[in-house]
Amino acid sequence: MSSHRQLRARYRRILGYFARLFVRLLFFDAVLPKLGLGRLSARGREARLRRAAADFHDLAADLGGLLIKVGQFMSTRLDVLPADVTEQLAGLQDEAPPVPFDDIRARAETELGMPLGQAYEWFDPEPLAAASLGQVHRARLNESETSDVGFRRVVVKVQRPGIEQIIEVDLSVLRRVAGWVSHYKAVAQRTDVPALVEEFACSTGEEVDYLHEAANAEHFAANFAEDPTVTSPAVVWERSTRRLLTLSDVSAIKISSDEALEAKGIDPEEVAFAVADCYISQVFDDGFFHADPHPGNLFVTPVPAGLREEVGRNWQLTFIDFGMMGQVPDNLRGALKDVVIAVGMRDGHRLLRCMQELDMLLPSADLSLVERAISQLFDRFGGMSLADMRTIDPREFAQFGEQFRELMRSMPFQMPENLLLLIRAASLMNGLCTALYPDYNIWDSVEPYAHELVVGGSGSRTALVLDEAQNLLTTSMSLPRRAERVLTMMERGQLSVQTPTVNVLVRRIERALGQVISAILFAGLLVGGILLRADQPLWGHLLMAVSVLPLSKALLGGHGRLPPE
């Protein structure tokens, strides 16, 4: 159990890290550009971010608790953080020193209300795995429970003693930091950070409630009850509480063990595509998906010869750890299916419309520029795997960045909160599939599903045709009215042309001129005050004090949002 002094020290250490990070962020990204040193600030930005990510990696690895989860969670925020940072954070492993067995025994006996030897026939004192929130031990059920559930070998997940207090401390720090970050425009305009922390707190509360995880496991099993190729552990409800969970032991070949797979005659390429197909089914058919598909949470289970005909192959996919699950409501599922169709058909306009429906674009986004960028990405890189993209001349990416430099600078994208878990799962799943089969191409999984959505049945084809016809009809009906409005504005001399990129540049120049004038005024008042101070101290000090006003204008005058275009 963590003492009050240890918890306070933990709070100060975590808060100190974020305070130093935030001060550096403001100094380099807000103050220096106001002083005309923007190039100096930009030159070292990547190195500073990498160093900050490395420092957080070390802090999280040392303290554990929620910091591991925070790092893993932020590693998926490609819309907010640069790739160098997300790669650094993605390396965090949810591992922790094991809790002494006497403490685990005491915790388990308190939860079960009986001695450990009475609850289980055998309980391994050596942990099978130790993580930041709990640790897992192998055990065997008594004969009476075995006859009820039909299996004897189990794994028991026991929550770490004192983890509730650690979670409370970590969340209090995160809430305070979220308040700071919400005032930083570059992040605040893309995501509601306080809301993000509250969502993280909610998902953490569910993850440490083992009865919630047990219900998730049964929900997942029910969704795949008719699919013999996917399995999951069964729950022993009589030996489960909010802080202790007993499941059937389904340990098998780790999905990342290529040698073990090949020794059993299992093709890693086949496994990679099966994982992707399974996730497509979870998201689009069930609307309920495993949100943490790292290699430790998936096994490949060889199938006995007598059952291979029923299963349809010589192995099964086995999922474990259902603490982090995601749900996709029907309306979101429909929008995501449109995304799949747009990607499968390489339709930039349709994908742009989907991004608007999913609230993935900031209000300031130049839609025509975004659509042109999407279309060119489809034309040049569509259909490529990650392995293919590694062979592309880096100058091509640089040329794309130069062509759309204003878009790359402003990055007018945001990630809706209801997509965060899905993006995380998709990222982990794609990485897992690529590790199994380096030439894995996610397009090969997406395109057949997109084709099925479009031509899979008369209903799908009819819906697609009606949708396109409705869009065409709406546009056609509005053309005469829009043309009349344009002609009327021309006659009145009211027609103006919007050029978002030029407007942004003009506003920046105006803002910079205002800051230069303020800086000159500051310098004049300050120098005048210094010169007068010797002969007329009152006026000298007064001028020096007043010089603070133009100084604040010079430093902070452009800190707010640009006016709407």
Side-chain angles (χ1 to χ4, degrees):
M1 195 71 71
S2 300
S3 69
H4 183 64
R5 180 178 297 177
Q6 289 173 322
L7 293 173
R8 281 199 306 172
R10 178 186 184 90
Y11 179 90
R12 287 195 298 268
R13 186 175 172 189
I14 299 172
L15 189 65
Y17 164 81
F18 283 111
R20 290 189 298 272
L21 176 64
F22 194 65
V23 168
R24 285 199 298 267
L25 190 69
L26 286 179
F27 178 74
F28 284 103
D29 289 355
V31 175
L32 287 186
K34 307 304 180 189
L35 297 175
L37 300 174
R39 290 187 178 181
L40 176 64
S41 171
R43 193 179 306 142
R45 180 175 293 120
E46 289 187 7
R48 291 195 304 274
L49 290 173
R50 282 197 300 270
R51 186 166 60 250
D55 290 344
F56 182 83
H57 183 287
D58 294 341
L59 180 71
D62 185 29
L63 294 182
L66 281 192
L67 297 186
I68 298 284
K69 302 290 183 184
V70 170
Q72 292 175 338
F73 181 71
M74 293 307 297
S75 71
T76 65
R77 293 311 306 264
L78 296 173
D79 59 317
V80 174
L81 298 174
D84 287 343
V85 174
T86 58
E87 288 173 8
Q88 180 77 247
L89 297 178
L92 278 170
Q93 299 296 318
D94 191 3
E95 298 174 352
V99 177
F101 181 63
D102 287 344
D103 295 339
I104 289 294
R105 177 197 293 275
R107 180 77 167 204
E109 291 181 345
T110 299
E111 289 300 311
L112 294 169
M114 65 179 74
L116 207 57
Q118 182 180 339
Y120 302 95
E121 179 183 83
W122 170 77
F123 194 100
D124 191 352
E126 292 297 321
L128 180 64
S132 56
L133 303 183
Q135 68 185 42
V136 180
H137 293 256
R138 294 188 190 276
R140 284 195 299 267
L141 295 175
N142 295 317
E143 288 187 9
S144 57
E145 282 78 23
T146 299
S147 61
D148 291 337
V149 299
F151 51 84
R152 172 165 289 189
R153 293 171 53 247
V154 295
V155 293
V156 183
K157 188 174 181 179
V158 184
Q159 203 171 100
R160 296 178 78 94
I163 193 63
E164 298 96 334
Q165 294 92 330
I166 290 176
I167 289 174
E168 186 178 344
V169 166
D170 291 358
L171 286 176
S172 66
V173 176
L174 293 177
R175 289 186 175 107
R176 187 167 183 179
V177 173
W180 299 345
V181 176
S182 65
H183 296 293
Y184 186 61
K185 183 182 69 173
V187 176
Q189 69 179 359
R190 286 174 170 77
T191 189
D192 184 345
V193 180
L196 192 65
V197 170
E198 292 309 315
E199 181 180 341
F200 183 72
C202 181
S203 65
T204 300
E206 293 177 349
E207 194 170 355
V208 296
D209 181 353
Y210 289 169
L211 291 180
H212 183 81
E213 180 177 346
N216 286 341
E218 291 209 332
H219 186 172
F220 184 90
N223 287 344
F224 286 94
E226 303 300 322
D227 184 353
T229 65
V230 178
T231 65
S232 57
V235 180
V236 184
W237 287 100
E238 293 79 7
R239 292 290 180 267
S240 297
T241 70
R242 288 187 64 249
R243 297 181 180 86
L244 183 144
L245 178 61
T246 304
L247 302 162
S248 60
D249 188 352
V250 293
S251 303
I253 300 172
K254 278 195 172 183
I255 199 167
S256 57
S257 180
D258 291 345
E259 293 182 1
L261 291 175
E262 292 170 0
K264 291 292 185 178
I266 299 171
D267 183 3
E269 178 183 350
E270 185 183 357
V271 175
F273 281 97
V275 170
D277 291 343
C278 181
Y279 261 87
I280 288 175
S281 175
Q282 290 179 50
V283 173
F284 294 105
D285 296 337
D286 304 327
F288 184 75
F289 63 93
H290 194 297
D292 197 20
H294 65 75
N297 285 341
L298 276 90
F299 293 116
V300 177
T301 305
V303 175
L307 297 176
R308 289 178 184 176
E309 184 175 349
E310 177 187 344
V311 174
R313 60 191 184 204
N314 65 340
W315 55 273
Q316 298 169 300
L317 271 181
T318 301
F319 286 80
I320 63 170
D321 194 349
F322 300 93
M324 189 183 297
M325 304 294 290
Q327 296 194 27
V328 187
D330 290 341
N331 59 334
L332 179 58
R333 225 182 306 175
L336 291 175
K337 286 182 179 180
D338 282 342
V339 171
V340 171
I341 292 174
V343 171
M345 297 173 65
R346 314 285 201 273
D347 187 339
H349 180 72
R350 190 184 191 96
L351 183 57
L352 177 66
R353 195 176 69 205
C354 293
M355 293 172 72
Q356 289 178 280
E357 290 176 1
L358 290 170
D359 198 27
M360 296 177 68
L361 296 174
L362 295 173
S364 60
D366 182 343
L367 299 183
S368 61
L369 188 61
V370 174
E371 183 175 350
R372 280 198 294 122
I374 292 172
S375 298
Q376 290 208 18
L377 283 172
F378 277 150
D379 292 343
R380 180 61 187 93
F381 307 116
M384 287 188 174
S385 66
L386 291 176
D388 293 334
M389 295 187 74
R390 292 191 190 102
T391 65
I392 295 175
D393 189 336
R395 286 176 293 186
E396 286 200 41
F397 294 108
Q399 184 180 3
F400 177 86
E402 177 62 24
Q403 182 178 359
F404 296 100
R405 60 183 179 276
E406 182 59 31
L407 180 66
M408 303 302 290
R409 185 203 64 78
S410 61
M411 287 298 287
F413 309 106
Q414 61 186 356
M415 194 57 62
E417 310 306 332
N418 57 1
L419 289 180
L420 289 176
L421 279 181
L422 183 57
I423 295 296
R424 168 189 165 84
S427 175
L428 290 174
M429 183 274 294
N430 189 61
L432 180 64
C433 293
T434 304
L436 281 165
Y437 178 51
D439 291 330
Y440 171 75
N441 188 345
I442 194 170
W443 296 90
D444 293 337
S445 298
V446 170
E447 286 188 314
Y449 185 71
H451 184 267
E452 181 183 342
L453 287 175
V454 175
V455 301
S458 59
S460 300
R461 289 194 297 272
T462 302
L464 185 65
V465 170
L466 288 176
D467 182 45
E468 295 300 330
Q470 181 183 6
N471 292 334
L472 181 60
L473 181 62
T474 301
T475 302
S476 300
M477 292 177 65
S478 67
L479 279 176
R481 185 173 64 254
R482 293 164 69 181
E484 182 182 357
R485 187 163 62 247
V486 170
L487 290 172
T488 301
M489 292 175 67
M490 290 178 65
E491 291 172 354
R492 295 176 179 175
Q494 297 175 338
L495 184 65
S496 63
V497 179
Q498 293 293 327
T499 53
T501 302
V502 174
N503 291 344
V504 170
L505 292 174
V506 169
R507 287 200 300 277
R508 283 193 202 138
I509 293 171
E510 291 174 346
R511 190 172 64 184
L513 284 173
Q515 291 174 254
V516 169
I517 293 171
S518 297
I520 293 172
L521 184 57
F522 158 71
L525 290 172
L526 180 64
V527 171
I530 292 173
L531 293 176
L532 284 174
R533 188 175 55 174
D535 298 327
Q536 300 184 40
L538 177 62
W539 285 105
H541 285 99
L542 181 61
L543 287 178
M544 292 173 65
V546 171
S547 71
V548 173
L549 297 176
L551 174 63
S552 63
K553 172 68 175 176
L555 293 179
L556 303 175
H559 190 62
R561 294 177 182 269
L562 288 172
E565 298 171 10

